[in-house]
Amino acid sequence: MEIDSPETLRGLLEQRDYLADPGLATAAFLALRMGRPLFLEGAAGVGKTELAKTLAAVLGAPLIRLQCYEGLDAAQALYDWDFPRQLLHLKAAEAAGITDVKALEGEIYDRRFLIARPLLQAIESHPSVLLVDEIDRADDEFEAFLLEVLSDFSISIPELGTIRAASPPLVVLTSNRTREVHDALKRRCLYHWLDHPGFDLEVAILLRRLPACTAVLAEQVAKVAARLRGADLLKPPGIAETIDWAEALLTLGADQLNPEMAAVTLGAALKYREDQQTAIRNGLLDA
C-alpha cells in the first residue's frame, strides 16, 4: 500500500476509526518515510497506544508490544533460552547413547530453543510495528540499552551470532511523563505531544466509535469531560475514559446526560474516589 502523504495516512487511520489531527498524521507519516522511531508523549488515555495498534492495522503488519515497567531488563525484552526443552533434548540424546559433547552443545544452542521476546520478534519480523509502551516506567539502564538496539536494529547472541533486521520495524514509543525520558533517546526519535482532543474532535470520536450514540449525548459527555479536565483532579478522564463513559450511559439506555445518571456511571470516567467526590460536590456533572 502506497502512503504518499500525511493526508493519505490520516484517511487510512480514519477508515479504522482513529481520528488524528494533521500534526499527529504528519508525525506518523514522517516516521514511516524516514524510518525513525516515533516518540509519543502525553497524559494517559489520549490515544498513544491506540495509534500504534491502528498503524499496524493500516500497514497490515503484526503489532509487537513491549510493556515497560520498573525492573525490566534486557533478557526480558530480547530473548531467553528454553531451558526445559534443552534439558529434554539432552535427556533424549543420553537415552539414545549420544556422547559427543561438542555436538550436543551445538544442538542445544540451536535457534529452535531460543525464545524470542518483543525486541527480537520485531527485528525478525517484516513488516512489523514495535510498540514500546510507557518507556517512562522503565529504569535508566533499560532506556540506555533500548537506545543501542534502536540505533542499528541488530541483536548479538553469543551462541548464534548477530541477527539484523532485514528492514527496520516501525517503532512507536509512548510515555505518560511520570518521569523525564533522557534526551539521548528523544534525539533518536521524532517527537509528538498528544493532548486531550478539542470539543469538536472528541464529539466526532464518540460518534465514530459508538454508532448508537446520539449527537446530543456525545456533545454533553464531551462538554462534561472537558470541564473535568479543567478541574484539579488526580486523574482527569482521557478519551478512552470518555468513550467508556458514553458506552456505559448507552448500555443503561440513556440518550442524554443528567447529573443523576452521570453520578451513577462516574466510575467509567474517574478512577479515584477523591475525584468523584470533587466532581459531584462542585457540580461538574451538569451537562
Side-chain angles (χ1 to χ4, degrees):
M1 179 184 300
E2 181 66 24
I3 301 176
D4 55 7
S5 69
E7 291 73 23
T8 299
L9 178 58
R10 190 181 182 194
L12 291 170
L13 292 171
E14 185 174 347
Q15 288 177 17
R16 289 160 177 82
D17 297 333
Y18 190 97
L19 304 184
D21 62 36
L24 179 57
T26 299
F29 172 77
L30 291 175
L32 279 169
R33 277 303 182 91
M34 298 169 64
R36 298 280 295 279
L38 177 60
F39 189 99
L40 300 176
E41 202 166 41
V46 294
K48 303 183 296 296
T49 300
E50 193 64 27
L51 175 65
K53 294 178 180 178
T54 310
L55 284 171
V58 166
L59 298 173
L63 176 73
I64 300 171
R65 181 172 182 171
L66 174 60
Q67 180 63 52
C68 297
Y69 53 87
E70 186 177 352
L72 177 66
D73 61 27
Q76 294 163 313
L78 280 175
Y79 67 88
D80 204 354
W81 289 104
D82 192 340
F83 296 117
R85 286 191 63 205
Q86 287 174 318
L87 184 59
L88 284 173
H89 181 76
L90 288 175
K91 288 182 176 180
E94 182 182 4
I98 300 173
T99 57
D100 188 335
V101 176
K102 189 172 182 180
L104 281 174
E105 184 178 348
E107 288 180 5
I108 64 172
Y109 286 109
D110 186 77
R111 178 64 183 83
R112 61 186 164 141
F113 295 115
L114 191 71
I115 302 173
R117 303 301 186 194
L119 292 181
L120 181 56
Q121 289 175 23
I123 285 175
E124 290 187 318
S125 303
H126 173 70
S128 66
V129 175
L130 172 62
L131 169 62
V132 183
D133 215 7
E134 299 184 329
I135 182 61
D136 53 318
R137 296 187 181 276
D139 301 325
D140 291 351
E141 293 78 7
F142 181 79
E143 191 179 318
F145 157 76
L146 183 64
L147 177 64
E148 181 181 349
V149 173
L150 295 182
S151 296
D152 54 11
F153 292 102
S154 67
I155 293 175
S156 294
I157 302 175
E159 298 85 356
L160 295 178
T162 299
I163 299 177
R164 291 185 173 83
S167 178
L170 172 62
V171 181
V172 178
L173 301 98
T174 74
S175 168
N176 295 336
R177 210 169 190 178
T178 58
R179 71 168 175 86
E180 286 295 334
V181 174
H182 291 280
D183 288 343
L185 182 59
K186 284 188 174 182
R187 283 198 301 270
R188 180 72 181 81
C189 308
L190 299 176
Y191 177 86
H192 189 81
W193 172 268
L194 265 74
D195 209 343
H196 293 291
F199 176 78
D200 290 339
L201 179 57
E202 187 152 27
V203 170
I205 292 172
L206 289 171
L207 293 175
R208 177 60 67 93
R209 297 297 295 271
L210 301 170
C213 187
T214 65
V216 171
L217 181 59
E219 290 171 0
Q220 290 176 332
V221 169
K223 178 182 176 182
V224 174
R227 187 184 301 130
L228 291 171
R229 291 170 191 146
D232 186 21
L233 301 181
L234 294 172
K235 173 59 178 71
I239 182 59
E241 286 78 23
T242 307
I243 293 171
D244 285 346
W245 197 13
E247 185 175 5
L249 291 164
L250 288 170
T251 301
L252 295 176
D255 56 6
Q256 293 190 47
L257 184 65
N258 57 62
E260 294 76 20
M261 186 63 75
V264 297
T265 56
L266 198 51
L270 300 179
K271 311 301 181 178
Y272 287 89
R273 179 172 178 268
E274 296 87 344
D275 286 347
Q276 293 182 4
Q277 291 176 329
T278 298
I280 295 171
R281 183 174 58 248
N282 296 338
L284 301 179
L285 305 181
D286 296 330

